[in-house]
Amino acid sequence: MSAPIRVLVWNENFHETMQQHVKELYPEGIHGAVAAGIRENLGDAVVVETAVLTDPEHGLTEERLAQTDVLLWWGHAKHDDVSDEVVARVHRHVLAGMGLIVLHSGHFSKPFISLMGTTCSLQWRSVGERELVWTVAPNHPITRGVPSPLPLAAHEMYGEFFDVPTPDELIFISSFEGGEAFRSGMTFRRGRGRIFYFSPGDQEYPIYHDASIRRVIANAVGWAAGDARDPRAVPEVRHATVKAWDV
Amino acid sequence: MSAPIRVLVWNENFHETMQQHVKELYPEGIHGAVAAGIRENLGDAVVVETAVLTDPEHGLTEERLAQTDVLLWWGHAKHDDVSDEVVARVHRHVLAGMGLIVLHSGHFSKPFISLMGTTCSLQWRSVGERELVWTVAPNHPITRGVPSPLPLAAHEMYGEFFDVPTPDELIFISSFEGGEAFRSGMTFRRGRGRIFYFSPGDQEYPIYHDASIRRVIANAVGWAAGDARDPRAVPEVRHATVKAWDV
Amino acid sequence: MSAPIRVLVWNENFHETMQQHVKELYPEGIHGAVAAGIRENLGDAVVVETAVLTDPEHGLTEERLAQTDVLLWWGHAKHDDVSDEVVARVHRHVLAGMGLIVLHSGHFSKPFISLMGTTCSLQWRSVGERELVWTVAPNHPITRGVPSPLPLAAHEMYGEFFDVPTPDELIFISSFEGGEAFRSGMTFRRGRGRIFYFSPGDQEYPIYHDASIRRVIANAVGWAAGDARDPRAVPEVRHATVKAWDV
Amino acid sequence: MSAPIRVLVWNENFHETMQQHVKELYPEGIHGAVAAGIRENLGDAVVVETAVLTDPEHGLTEERLAQTDVLLWWGHAKHDDVSDEVVARVHRHVLAGMGLIVLHSGHFSKPFISLMGTTCSLQWRSVGERELVWTVAPNHPITRGVPSPLPLAAHEMYGEFFDVPTPDELIFISSFEGGEAFRSGMTFRRGRGRIFYFSPGDQEYPIYHDASIRRVIANAVGWAAGDARDPRAVPEVRHATVKAWDV
């Protein structure tokens, strides 16, 4: 239990560089705020790095992923600019055991869609509505120390139907000022990897500065790490020539 | 497929007989309104009867249950007046294949608690709030022809945490005017029986006169019938003296 | 409920045309045997057609899929010869509501892998071992009238770990003469579509002539049809400009 | 994370005291062997105690349970001798957050049946058959370091249909020499508590001396502890007089 969890926060880093009001909300970038929240909660138990779209190979080389226990993903306007080769690499590492936390508009990212196999479509409206995030799995490690409801004064609305597979675990559901409801926190196991989708975190609102949101994300890092530090191994087909009774 | 589904709507029938305003909402009783909604939607495909707490053995004799494919349950103020013997009988018939639809405050009924194994507790507030029921399983037969959201102008609030086991299928989630969210439609398989819990339907509001609510309940009757018309059989322990390879 | 279910059985049809002993087992092709089994069980309730890899567009044109309620898929040696365009089309139709039944070595087909998001790898050995298929969901419509165990005198072994997502419903588990165990029947909901994976059915063994296997597949056709006859609609992102309370 | 997990291994302790051959297999009792296996794997991370049926209040007083993070349960011949009051107490502590690991014939224990709500019946045959335990959740903490298959040279057969609710997580499936298959490791969340059922461990065979079986049980202790060390709290009904938006 002594080696720190190696965390990599990935962000397309577009809005922050192009839109002044987003830059003011996130002067260190969304990735910077997310990384700060993880460090704040987990301290020496983690080593947190960041990568952005414009890095060579988007900062997601084979070597980098091989040394990443948990990858966080934030994207929105530039999903299509992520190369298919890198997407396949991320997908493979998740199946081999790397944890993946997909944030907010990452629901439409290529890695998430390819791992889910569905459209991942939903309803949305961005007019700064109040959102309440309710815990429905009170004994799950991701909810530890998180208030229920977790209030967000103003946020983008994400509503059902959210076209994802039945989650392995439903952790949070949200209600919005406008009346919509949403499954806002869900886990999915794929191959040897653990995936957590968490919807709060639009670029227009200071969500990632919220202490409880940071707590959820830090908890999720701990959960998603799982056995990520074991030797990475994609499940493989095997010709079992010897009968199991004879082994 | 030709034999009609035999449906029995059970109601404690207390509020309607004791409180004038409830009697006015439900002149035929809550059971009467629920039964009417099922007949209205399913016609000749069902035979619907009703039973109430004050009937001998609460109207739930062994013979009656043996001829019931789907039992609906509404109770609130008189849960404790249901005899343990009848509860055990209902429980046994569900495990043997009878469908069970538990409505609203039936979450605290003895049969539901004994089938769930949990407290079935929740949050509540009855001030006539707007509720929106959102479909999260659009290809489930229970949601067929049901609008999403299904609006209820005024209803009692039921909120999370709702202490039930993870459902087999999450069908609906609701948001309330006051900000709460709730898993308002869920299925559970127990033994050979199918159970659907559906939260709308407080005695203070005319919920069971709503056409969409009636549609949900009728759909659920069709779903819960499942194989209920097969010979009823509680799963039994079996000493398999002969090895399966040798059968 | 009167319109028959439109079923399309797809087969790569390679082994039957190239290997004499397979041709003898399946003189009408695997697709022919599967189709016969469905007709035998469901009669006028279905219209069953077949298509093979060498048909134009593999027999899976947009028009054909639009008129298909349930597609069955058998492939093994020629997965890579299925065009990506057709795979995307099948994938889209499943998300829009078409039922899909994936048989045996179809676990490695492109449509199944893209819908699951995992490797779908497993263990295998083909030495003609006895397999017993055990029902673990006795009240599921797919198991109706199916013996437990369902014995197969000789079959290829498929063993765990089978790298698929947690199924929505686990229906069957198998044991093999050599000691392996396998989750041999599982359902998955994706988008508006229903998917059933069923492992029995290797080309080297007369599995699809077995009456109980035919019963499972016919039951699965009925289950997968679901709402497939509703207007087909891929879940879509929607900008909900009006708040739900205001609708 | 520094406080050790407080583990209590409960055993009816009947066979060991009445049957010489069982006493020889388990000179310290089944509880002694299980406790030794936990200590062997977890060392200072646990404090392990034991209790037996003949202890006052079966060794399961309110005070004792309040200081127990994870309770393990082995029973077989004396299920009916466990008092209903103690069963209700155990049930309540599980819902309030205590972990529970139910072993082998404990499937018919009163606490397990009351938590599941089903008959928990199954097939069985005790003729010393080889069992292979296969991992189907390779990234679950309970399977860490456990071989797949985990071979047991001779054991009692437990077969399907096992009448329990759909588990939250299916961890292991077993095949038996005689051809049966069984869901041999499953998790269930109830209230705030975590439950693991694990079928290996009949009194007639030295299962609890097996290093891999001990590893599974020790892993399960770590998993079931979860938030058990948080203040224990049964989920309670709450009259939420203030709307959530107004808090």
Side-chain angles (χ1 to χ4, degrees):
Chain A
M1 297 294 286
S2 52
I5 301 171
R6 298 164 300 175
V7 179
L8 181 58
V9 182
W10 190 90
N11 179 19
E12 63 176 35
N13 195 34
F14 172 76
H15 296 287
E16 303 94 318
T17 53
M18 301 299 285
Q19 297 171 283
Q20 184 58 27
H21 67 287
V22 181
K23 187 179 299 186
E24 283 166 13
L25 279 176
Y26 293 110
E28 312 297 327
I30 285 176
H31 51 292
V34 170
I38 297 169
R39 289 190 196 102
E40 180 181 295
N41 277 279
L42 299 180
D44 292 345
V46 285
V47 172
V48 186
E49 299 187 352
T50 62
V52 295
L53 181 66
T54 53
D55 289 343
E57 300 190 47
H58 313 321
L60 299 168
T61 60
E62 180 61 32
E63 295 65 33
R64 192 84 174 276
L65 292 178
Q67 294 170 28
T68 298
D69 298 317
V70 180
L71 175 67
L72 292 98
W73 193 279
W74 199 101
H76 176 227
K78 296 294 173 186
H79 293 316
D80 286 348
D81 291 5
V82 179
S83 84
D84 289 342
E85 186 184 346
V86 167
V87 171
R89 195 183 291 156
V90 168
H91 191 134
R92 177 166 45 79
H93 274 274
V94 171
L95 298 187
M98 182 177 72
L100 177 68
I101 298 174
V102 176
L103 295 168
H104 189 59
S105 44
H107 72 92
F108 262 169
S109 66
K110 289 181 179 178
F112 190 61
I113 288 176
S114 73
L115 284 159
M116 296 294 104
T118 55
T119 65
C120 302
S121 58
L122 45 70
Q123 294 195 48
W124 65 280
R125 176 178 59 240
S126 190
V127 297
E129 290 167 76
R130 196 166 177 203
E131 173 178 356
L132 296 177
V133 184
W134 298 87
T135 293
V136 298
N139 65 358
H140 196 283
I142 290 178
T143 67
R144 207 154 205 250
V146 177
S148 181
L150 185 171
L152 299 170
H155 194 224
E156 182 180 20
M157 182 282 289
Y158 271 14
E160 298 286 343
F161 174 61
F162 184 20
D163 179 30
V164 287
T166 306
D168 283 17
E169 298 161 311
L170 179 65
I171 309 292
F172 300 114
I173 60 177
S174 287
S175 66
F176 290 86
E177 203 175 327
E180 279 83 0
F182 193 66
R183 292 169 292 168
S184 46
M186 296 190 260
T187 72
F188 305 89
R189 291 173 185 249
R190 292 296 182 271
R192 296 183 190 280
R194 301 178 183 193
I195 302 167
F196 178 56
Y197 175 77
F198 188 50
S199 61
D202 189 71
Q203 75 278 359
E204 302 284 338
Y205 310 94
I207 303 295
Y208 296 121
H209 297 303
D210 181 277
S212 293
I213 292 290
R214 289 179 164 203
R215 180 69 186 260
V216 170
I217 293 172
N219 285 345
V221 164
W223 172 83
D227 300 342
R229 285 164 291 181
D230 287 345
R232 200 147 288 172
V234 178
E236 288 189 338
V237 67
R238 192 172 83 88
H239 188 183
T241 49
V242 181
K243 293 184 180 180
W245 295 133
D246 298 335
V247 173
Chain B
M1 297 293 287
S2 51
I5 301 171
R6 299 164 299 176
V7 179
L8 181 58
V9 182
W10 190 89
N11 180 18
E12 63 176 35
N13 196 33
F14 172 76
H15 295 288
E16 303 94 317
T17 54
M18 301 299 284
Q19 297 171 283
Q20 184 59 27
H21 67 288
V22 181
K23 187 180 298 184
E24 284 165 14
L25 279 177
Y26 292 111
E28 313 297 326
I30 285 176
H31 51 293
V34 170
I38 297 169
R39 288 190 196 103
E40 179 181 296
N41 277 278
L42 298 179
D44 292 344
V46 285
V47 173
V48 185
E49 298 188 351
T50 63
V52 296
L53 181 66
T54 54
D55 290 343
E57 299 189 46
H58 314 320
L60 300 169
T61 60
E62 180 61 33
E63 296 66 32
R64 193 83 174 277
L65 292 178
Q67 294 170 27
T68 298
D69 298 317
V70 180
L71 175 67
L72 292 98
W73 194 279
W74 199 99
H76 178 226
K78 296 295 174 184
H79 293 316
D80 285 348
D81 291 5
V82 179
S83 84
D84 289 342
E85 186 184 345
V86 166
V87 170
R89 195 183 291 157
V90 166
H91 192 134
R92 178 167 44 81
H93 273 274
V94 171
L95 297 187
M98 183 177 72
L100 177 67
I101 298 173
V102 176
L103 296 169
H104 189 60
S105 43
H107 72 92
F108 262 168
S109 66
K110 289 181 180 177
F112 190 61
I113 288 175
S114 74
L115 283 159
M116 296 295 104
T118 55
T119 64
C120 303
S121 58
L122 45 70
Q123 293 195 50
W124 65 280
R125 177 178 60 239
S126 190
V127 296
E129 290 168 75
R130 195 165 177 203
E131 174 179 357
L132 295 176
V133 184
W134 297 88
T135 293
V136 299
N139 64 358
H140 196 283
I142 291 178
T143 67
R144 208 155 204 249
V146 177
S148 181
L150 185 172
L152 299 170
H155 193 223
E156 182 180 21
M157 182 281 288
Y158 271 15
E160 298 285 346
F161 173 63
F162 184 20
D163 179 29
V164 288
T166 306
D168 282 18
E169 298 161 311
L170 179 65
I171 309 293
F172 299 114
I173 60 177
S174 287
S175 67
F176 291 86
E177 202 175 328
E180 279 84 0
F182 192 66
R183 291 169 294 167
S184 47
M186 295 190 260
T187 73
F188 304 89
R189 292 173 184 248
R190 291 296 181 271
R192 297 183 189 280
R194 300 177 183 194
I195 302 167
F196 179 56
Y197 174 77
F198 188 50
S199 62
D202 189 71
Q203 74 278 359
E204 302 284 339
Y205 310 92
I207 303 294
Y208 295 122
H209 298 303
D210 181 278
S212 293
I213 292 291
R214 289 179 164 204
R215 180 70 185 260
V216 170
I217 294 172
N219 285 346
V221 164
W223 171 82
D227 300 343
R229 286 165 289 183
D230 287 346
R232 200 147 289 172
V234 177
E236 288 187 338
V237 68
R238 192 172 83 87
H239 188 183
T241 50
V242 181
K243 292 183 179 179
W245 296 132
D246 299 334
V247 173
Chain C
M1 296 294 285
S2 52
I5 301 171
R6 298 164 300 175
V7 179
L8 181 58
V9 182
W10 190 90
N11 180 17
E12 63 175 36
N13 195 34
F14 172 76
H15 295 288
E16 303 93 319
T17 54
M18 301 298 284
Q19 297 172 284
Q20 184 58 28
H21 67 287
V22 180
K23 188 179 296 184
E24 284 166 12
L25 279 176
Y26 292 111
E28 312 296 327
I30 285 175
H31 51 293
V34 170
I38 297 169
R39 288 190 196 103
E40 180 181 296
N41 277 277
L42 298 180
D44 292 344
V46 285
V47 173
V48 186
E49 299 188 352
T50 63
V52 295
L53 181 66
T54 54
D55 289 343
E57 299 189 48
H58 313 321
L60 300 169
T61 60
E62 180 61 33
E63 295 66 32
R64 192 85 174 274
L65 291 178
Q67 294 170 27
T68 298
D69 298 317
V70 180
L71 175 67
L72 293 97
W73 194 279
W74 200 99
H76 177 226
K78 296 294 174 185
H79 293 316
D80 285 349
D81 292 5
V82 180
S83 84
D84 289 342
E85 186 185 346
V86 167
V87 170
R89 196 183 290 155
V90 167
H91 192 134
R92 178 168 42 80
H93 273 275
V94 171
L95 298 187
M98 184 177 72
L100 177 68
I101 298 173
V102 176
L103 296 169
H104 189 60
S105 43
H107 73 91
F108 262 169
S109 66
K110 288 181 180 179
F112 191 60
I113 288 176
S114 73
L115 283 160
M116 295 295 104
T118 55
T119 65
C120 302
S121 57
L122 44 70
Q123 293 195 50
W124 65 280
R125 177 177 61 239
S126 190
V127 296
E129 290 167 74
R130 196 166 177 202
E131 174 179 356
L132 295 176
V133 184
W134 297 88
T135 293
V136 299
N139 65 358
H140 197 282
I142 291 179
T143 67
R144 207 154 204 249
V146 177
S148 181
L150 184 172
L152 299 170
H155 193 224
E156 182 180 21
M157 181 282 287
Y158 271 14
E160 297 286 344
F161 173 63
F162 184 21
D163 178 29
V164 287
T166 305
D168 283 17
E169 298 161 311
L170 179 66
I171 310 291
F172 300 114
I173 60 176
S174 287
S175 66
F176 290 85
E177 203 176 327
E180 278 84 0
F182 192 66
R183 292 169 293 169
S184 46
M186 294 189 260
T187 72
F188 304 89
R189 292 172 184 248
R190 292 295 182 271
R192 297 184 189 280
R194 300 178 183 192
I195 302 167
F196 178 56
Y197 175 77
F198 188 50
S199 62
D202 189 70
Q203 74 278 359
E204 302 284 339
Y205 311 92
I207 302 294
Y208 294 121
H209 298 302
D210 182 277
S212 293
I213 292 291
R214 288 179 166 205
R215 181 69 185 260
V216 171
I217 293 172
N219 285 346
V221 164
W223 171 82
D227 300 343
R229 286 165 289 182
D230 287 346
R232 200 147 289 172
V234 178
E236 288 188 338
V237 67
R238 191 171 83 87
H239 188 181
T241 50
V242 181
K243 293 183 179 180
W245 296 132
D246 299 334
V247 173
Chain D
M1 295 294 285
S2 52
I5 301 171
R6 299 163 299 175
V7 179
L8 181 59
V9 182
W10 189 91
N11 179 18
E12 63 176 35
N13 196 34
F14 173 76
H15 296 289
E16 303 93 318
T17 54
M18 301 299 284
Q19 298 171 283
Q20 184 58 27
H21 67 288
V22 180
K23 188 179 298 184
E24 284 166 12
L25 278 176
Y26 292 110
E28 312 297 327
I30 285 175
H31 51 293
V34 169
I38 297 169
R39 288 190 196 102
E40 180 181 294
N41 277 278
L42 299 179
D44 292 345
V46 286
V47 172
V48 186
E49 299 188 350
T50 63
V52 295
L53 182 66
T54 53
D55 288 343
E57 300 190 47
H58 314 320
L60 300 168
T61 60
E62 180 62 31
E63 296 65 32
R64 192 85 173 275
L65 291 177
Q67 294 171 28
T68 298
D69 298 317
V70 180
L71 175 67
L72 293 96
W73 193 280
W74 199 100
H76 177 226
K78 296 295 173 185
H79 293 317
D80 286 348
D81 291 5
V82 179
S83 84
D84 289 342
E85 186 185 345
V86 166
V87 170
R89 195 183 292 157
V90 167
H91 191 135
R92 177 167 45 79
H93 274 273
V94 171
L95 298 186
M98 183 178 72
L100 177 67
I101 298 173
V102 176
L103 296 169
H104 188 60
S105 43
H107 72 91
F108 262 168
S109 66
K110 288 181 180 178
F112 191 60
I113 288 175
S114 74
L115 283 159
M116 296 293 104
T118 55
T119 65
C120 303
S121 58
L122 45 70
Q123 293 194 49
W124 65 280
R125 177 178 60 240
S126 190
V127 296
E129 291 168 74
R130 196 165 178 203
E131 173 179 356
L132 296 177
V133 184
W134 297 88
T135 292
V136 298
N139 64 358
H140 196 283
I142 291 178
T143 67
R144 205 151 205 251
V146 177
S148 180
L150 185 170
L152 299 170
H155 193 224
E156 182 180 20
M157 182 281 288
Y158 271 15
E160 297 287 344
F161 173 61
F162 184 20
D163 179 30
V164 287
T166 305
D168 283 17
E169 298 161 310
L170 178 65
I171 310 291
F172 299 114
I173 60 177
S174 287
S175 66
F176 291 86
E177 202 175 329
E180 280 83 1
F182 192 65
R183 291 169 294 168
S184 46
M186 295 189 261
T187 72
F188 305 88
R189 291 173 184 247
R190 292 297 182 270
R192 297 183 190 279
R194 301 178 182 192
I195 302 167
F196 178 56
Y197 174 77
F198 188 50
S199 62
D202 190 71
Q203 75 279 359
E204 302 283 338
Y205 311 93
I207 302 296
Y208 295 121
H209 297 304
D210 181 278
S212 293
I213 292 290
R214 289 179 165 204
R215 180 68 185 260
V216 171
I217 293 171
N219 285 346
V221 164
W223 171 82
D227 300 342
R229 286 164 289 181
D230 287 345
R232 200 147 288 172
V234 178
E236 288 189 337
V237 67
R238 192 172 82 88
H239 188 182
T241 50
V242 181
K243 293 183 180 180
W245 296 132
D246 299 335
V247 174

